[in-house]
Amino acid sequence: MTKNTHMTHLEDKVLYGGVDGTRQAIVAVRELKNLLRSDQSGSVSVKWDGAPSIFAGIDPSDGAFFVAKKGIFNKSPKVYKSDADVDADTSGDLSVKLKLALKHLPSLGITGVVQGDFLFSADDLKQQTIEGNDYVTFHPNTIVYGVPASSDTAKAITSAKIGIVWHTSYEGNSFETMEATFGVDLDGFHKSDDVFYISSMMDINDSVTNDNIVKVSEDLSECGKLFNKISSDTLNNQSHETLPRFIEQFNNTFVRKGEAIGDTASHVSGFIGWISSRFQTEIDKRKTSKGKLVQQELLDDILSFFTTDTKSDLKKIFDLQKHLVSAKIKVINTLDIVSEVKTFVKTDCGYKATKAEGYVAIDTLGGEAVKLVDRMEFSYNNFSPNILKGWDKPESKVDGEEIKL
């Protein structure tokens, strides 16, 4: 696997991966279904909603300890080895968290390079009662995480200065050539009371098996039937490379409203109308006839793609995506049973329970990672102005007592 800086949603592999990506998405769901039927560990990790994403370890060029953001993989890597380095490139809460990481992470004895998500500093922790239960909570981004206050995990969290969840390891003689592997071997880390750290990788056990997994097979069967009916030329979209991006943007207009895609024939028509409206806006913006003509030619070119056959294929692609999403949600609901940590979102009227951000599945055919996210829930929460984020500082109107630890 190359650098872990971007992952594709499972259903979007159909858009961006063509025939191969569609096959990989179907196989990924099939492998997850088989994994959940067993009592073994597998290539699934929890997608924590931490912030910022953080890299740490030893710079292979000089042997010095560093922390970094995703700029580590720039042509001129940005890594921080002192507070002065952090101050020169960042500010605010990000600067504070990077300096805390630089101070406390060396105690773990990290020998390579690892990537994770910052979950909390000591100042971020609260003792709260939500829906009648006592939790230690932290709120790094969109999701509020609640750990039962009487648990050993809560005790470890409250004694720590920072919390990190690790998910990726890197090997190589330079940042430019490093290759990523999902998972971090925590057995090689030193114990530290100042750093609460966990792995994102999941242990699957037979307690998660339920009727949802049986129903995943029905969605997979429909995916297979549709896959065999769609023209490979339409799936690969070689003559219209912008089409997948436009489809994703159009689909995201539904996500932002928390609406599922309904009738797929209507969705095709709506998509074509959306493209026409988008380009008409660009045409209207242009001041000259030449500028307007350029945009009109772009519109005419992309509309030429939509023949009777390709519109039929596009309907099947949307149907296939719907079945992948249906299967994905069943898998997510099953995986959610495992976690000790409870998840909530915060509104100006109180807390409400929500799902975890999602999971990451390792695609054994493509060698990449794909996101399993309930976009109708997490992505809607992420976009919604009614959901308070971890950096928001509104007047407290929450349900239950809120005590800073």
Side-chain angles (χ1 to χ4, degrees), residues 166-184:
W166 300 111
H167 54 69
T168 310
S169 305
Y170 292 86
E171 290 187 1
N173 295 323
S174 69
F175 295 131
E176 184 179 15
T177 61
M178 281 184 174
E179 291 288 322
T181 303
F182 259 91
V184 176

Side-chain angles (χ1 to χ4, degrees), residues 3 12 28 40 61 67 86 97 107 150 155-156 158 182 218 292 335 362:
K3 313 299 187 294
D12 285 346
Q40 60 187 354
S61 69
V67 297
V86 175
K97 285 179 165 53
S107 65
S150 61
K155 294 174 185 175
T158 54
F182 259 91
E218 299 172 5
K292 292 178 183 293
L335 290 171
I362 311 306

Side-chain angles (χ1 to χ4, degrees), residues 66-120:
F66 74 91
V67 297
K69 306 176 296 178
K70 291 181 180 179
I72 185 176
F73 298 125
N74 291 351
K75 188 172 182 180
S76 298
K78 283 191 175 182
V79 297
Y80 313 119
K81 299 174 183 177
S82 68
D83 285 358
D85 290 343
V86 175
D87 288 333
D89 190 52
T90 67
S91 61
D93 188 60
L94 175 61
S95 176
V96 171
K97 285 179 165 53
L98 287 171
K99 285 191 278 190
L100 284 171
L102 189 60
K103 177 180 179 180
H104 296 293
L105 291 182
S107 65
L108 301 185
I110 300 169
T111 56
V113 175
V114 292
Q115 179 185 357
D117 291 304
F118 198 104
L119 296 178
F120 63 83

Side-chain angles (χ1 to χ4, degrees), residues 249-269:
Q249 289 173 356
F250 178 62
N251 288 347
N252 279 342
T253 65
F254 287 79
V255 172
R256 285 180 170 86
K257 294 183 290 186
E259 295 179 3
I261 294 172
D263 178 73
T264 50
S266 297
H267 198 66
V268 173
S269 298

Side-chain angles (χ1 to χ4, degrees), residues 105-365:
L105 291 182
S107 65
L108 301 185
I110 300 169
T111 56
V113 175
V114 292
Q115 179 185 357
D117 291 304
F118 198 104
L119 296 178
F120 63 83
S121 67
D123 289 340
D124 297 324
L125 299 175
K126 296 183 177 75
Q127 178 78 45
Q128 294 180 270
T129 301
I130 303 175
E131 298 178 349
N133 297 305
D134 294 331
Y135 297 102
V136 172
T137 68
F138 47 95
H139 189 186
N141 206 347
T142 299
I143 290 177
V144 178
Y145 291 97
V147 180
S150 61
S151 67
D152 291 339
T153 301
K155 294 174 185 175
I157 286 173
T158 54
S159 67
K161 301 293 192 298
I162 61 172
I164 307 281
V165 54
W166 300 111
H167 54 69
T168 310
S169 305
Y170 292 86
E171 290 187 1
N173 295 323
S174 69
F175 295 131
E176 184 179 15
T177 61
M178 281 184 174
E179 291 288 322
T181 303
F182 259 91
V184 176
D185 182 10
L186 300 185
D187 290 339
F189 285 16
H190 299 161
K191 298 296 182 184
S192 171
D193 290 338
D194 290 340
V195 183
F196 173 82
Y197 62 89
I198 54 175
S199 169
S200 67
M201 301 304 291
M202 293 189 67
D203 289 324
I204 307 299
N205 58 66
D206 57 9
S207 67
V208 304
T209 302
N210 60 31
D211 291 341
N212 275 346
I213 300 308
V214 176
K215 294 176 183 176
V216 169
S217 297
E218 299 172 5
D219 285 311
L220 284 172
S221 177
E222 292 302 316
C223 286
K225 293 175 185 176
L226 289 162
F227 184 37
N228 290 328
K229 293 178 181 178
I230 302 170
S231 163
S232 59
D233 288 339
T234 304
L235 271 174
N236 288 330
N237 289 317
Q238 293 178 353
S239 61
H240 286 281
E241 296 180 357
T242 58
L243 195 62
R245 178 168 54 86
F246 284 149
I247 293 174
E248 183 183 13
Q249 289 173 356
F250 178 62
N251 288 347
N252 279 342
T253 65
F254 287 79
V255 172
R256 285 180 170 86
K257 294 183 290 186
E259 295 179 3
I261 294 172
D263 178 73
T264 50
S266 297
H267 198 66
V268 173
S269 298
F271 174 55
I272 296 171
W274 178 84
I275 287 178
S276 297
S277 176
R278 178 190 178 95
F279 275 93
Q280 188 60 54
T281 299
E282 293 302 316
I283 292 169
D284 293 341
K285 286 181 181 178
R286 299 309 188 263
K287 302 297 184 183
T288 66
S289 297
K290 183 178 179 180
K292 292 178 183 293
L293 181 60
V294 168
Q295 294 300 314
Q296 184 63 56
E297 288 176 344
L298 289 172
L299 173 59
D300 292 342
D301 179 56
I302 198 165
L303 289 180
S304 69
F305 172 81
F306 297 106
T307 65
T308 300
D309 287 341
T310 56
K311 284 192 284 188
S312 176
D313 279 340
L314 193 54
K315 178 187 183 304
K316 296 183 184 75
I317 287 173
F318 290 145
D319 283 328
L320 197 157
Q321 283 190 301
K322 285 182 68 173
H323 282 290
L324 281 174
V325 169
S326 176
K328 177 182 72 172
I329 298 304
K330 294 179 178 73
V331 170
I332 289 172
N333 289 342
T334 305
L335 290 171
D336 279 345
I337 299 171
V338 177
S339 179
E340 170 193 24
V341 179
K342 303 303 179 184
T343 49
F344 308 90
V345 288
K346 185 177 182 180
T347 74
D348 58 3
C349 297
Y351 290 93
K352 68 175 184 177
T354 190
K355 295 177 182 176
E357 177 181 349
Y359 301 89
V360 177
I362 311 306
D363 162 24
T364 56
L365 279 184

